[in-house]
Amino acid sequence: MTLNPQVSAHIRDYHPRLPAERWEPVSGQVRAVVTAVAPATCDIARRLLYVVSRLAVWADSVGLPRDPGLWLRTETIDRFVLSGLAGRPGGTVQSCRCWLRRTREAVVWVQRGEAPPIRIKADRSPRPPYEEHELAALRRWVELLPGRARLDGLALMALAAGCGLAPGELRAVRGRDLRAMPQGVVLVDAPWLDRLVACRAEWEEALAELGELAGEAYLFRPGRKVEAAKNLVSSWSLRHRPHVGLARLEARRLRTTWIVGLLRQRIDPVLIAQAAGMRSAAALGPYFHWVPPLSPEQAAELLRGARS
């Protein structure tokens, strides 16, 4: 397949923001891998160059041979995601993993001289929110858990239902990432988060206490051996199951509860999307399914506005 001249030039002239002594030894192989994938646009080429270059430089730093076939093995990609991207936002980590797997898939099929397989997409629709009484019951249940389990459960709920953090983000929060303001507001202000998040009022006291206890350690499961284990959050929920009649505690449902709660209060969707780390308010579309319409009286009052 012949590359578009602009795409070809983009690959040839690519220089990542990495030290030259780390980039140059692998640069030729990175460009060859991306060329083999045959990206259709410069934007796709840029994304591929970014993830493959980071993977290659990381592989070189841990002593792996300079072999793209080894870099793109599933186990190497997973190892890179867990250690090479530790501390990055969950969305960034998942995006890098997705692009690397696509690269592996494309390169493998090119080597075989076959057409690429049909890609099956997983269901990405949001999990339903907890109702108010369900969330309250789960909080009471968590408060009764013993020792570390109680602190981890509260951290999970405060960071997901109180701050709207995704599973990959909440597991990276340390005590030092929280900032308590004089008015009682608690902010999640981590440099890797790329945004400022204010905790909901009903969770700020618990979150502030958790932050003081954690200090430099992680709020959620600080005794972990791996910083970014894939099932770190879901495995906690599987291990700690509520009594019969109470829904299981899920990070994705807690985040949905946070989003839907804000939408139900008619807070500006653009502000909600920014706080959630979404690219635009359009990503909130699926969540409106759980937002009841305004009554005619409420709608009229909003449309009328205040008298000048």
Side-chain angles (χ1 to χ4, degrees):
M1 181 177 183
T2 303
L3 285 180
N4 177 296
Q6 288 80 16
V7 173
S8 181
H10 189 82
I11 296 172
R12 184 187 64 243
D13 298 335
Y14 178 75
H15 292 282
R17 295 179 180 176
L18 294 168
E21 63 272 16
R22 299 182 65 191
W23 162 242
E24 291 301 332
V26 298
S27 60
Q29 290 165 305
V30 170
R31 292 189 177 102
V33 167
V34 176
T35 299
V37 177
T41 66
C42 287
D43 182 62
I44 295 175
R46 176 182 58 79
R47 292 171 182 266
L48 292 172
L49 286 162
Y50 177 86
V51 295
V52 177
S53 64
R54 266 61 184 182
L55 171 65
V57 168
W58 170 83
D60 214 38
S61 71
V62 298
L64 293 177
R66 291 170 183 165
D67 176 7
L70 178 60
W71 298 344
L72 292 171
R73 287 181 180 175
T74 301
E75 58 268 29
T76 306
I77 293 173
D78 289 344
R79 185 181 166 193
F80 166 66
V81 167
L82 290 173
S83 58
L85 298 177
R88 298 287 188 91
T92 300
V93 172
Q94 291 300 323
S95 177
C96 286
R97 184 170 182 269
C98 178
W99 280 98
L100 286 172
R101 290 208 163 193
R102 289 183 183 179
T103 302
R104 169 184 163 74
E105 180 183 273
V107 170
V108 167
W109 285 90
V110 165
Q111 289 173 343
R112 292 178 182 174
E114 302 174 23
I118 298 172
R119 179 172 291 111
I120 301 174
K121 294 184 178 180
D123 182 13
R124 304 289 293 177
S125 57
R127 299 281 291 134
Y130 294 106
E131 293 304 324
E132 190 174 336
H133 70 277
E134 292 179 308
L135 195 65
L138 282 170
R139 185 169 185 173
R140 289 193 298 270
W141 167 73
V142 165
E143 289 278 9
L144 295 175
L145 292 174
R148 185 67 244 174
R150 172 181 174 274
L151 297 178
D152 287 338
L154 283 174
L156 175 58
M157 295 193 74
L159 292 170
C163 302
L165 298 187
E169 296 171 332
L170 71 85
R171 69 188 179 192
V173 176
R174 296 175 184 266
R176 67 183 181 215
D177 296 326
L178 303 181
R179 182 152 51 94
M181 307 298 286
Q183 307 91 328
V185 179
V186 178
L187 306 176
V188 183
D189 190 12
W192 48 264
L193 194 57
D194 294 331
R195 65 187 190 274
L196 195 66
V197 176
C199 181
R200 300 291 287 168
E202 59 266 32
W203 289 102
E204 59 191 13
E205 185 176 344
L207 189 59
E209 292 177 359
L210 289 166
E212 289 183 9
L213 287 172
E216 293 295 309
Y218 295 106
L219 263 70
F220 181 71
R221 303 185 75 173
R224 70 187 78 162
K225 295 181 180 179
V226 180
E227 288 188 5
K230 181 180 178 181
N231 298 317
L232 188 72
V233 178
S234 59
S235 63
W236 187 94
S237 298
L238 288 172
R239 185 179 303 173
H240 301 89
R241 293 177 177 271
H243 51 75
V244 177
L246 192 58
R248 188 162 69 90
L249 195 61
E250 297 180 41
R252 287 179 61 198
R253 289 194 68 183
L254 291 171
R255 175 174 158 89
T256 298
T257 303
W258 175 81
I259 292 173
V260 172
L262 295 175
L263 289 173
R264 286 174 176 174
Q265 293 181 23
R266 311 301 167 178
I267 294 174
D268 181 7
V270 173
L271 178 60
I272 298 173
Q274 290 173 347
M278 297 174 173
R279 291 186 177 181
S280 73
L284 293 171
Y287 297 90
F288 279 96
H289 173 74
W290 296 290
V291 180
L294 290 168
S295 68
E297 294 77 17
Q298 291 172 317
E301 184 176 351
L302 287 173
L303 291 172
R304 176 174 180 259
R307 186 188 295 273
S308 58

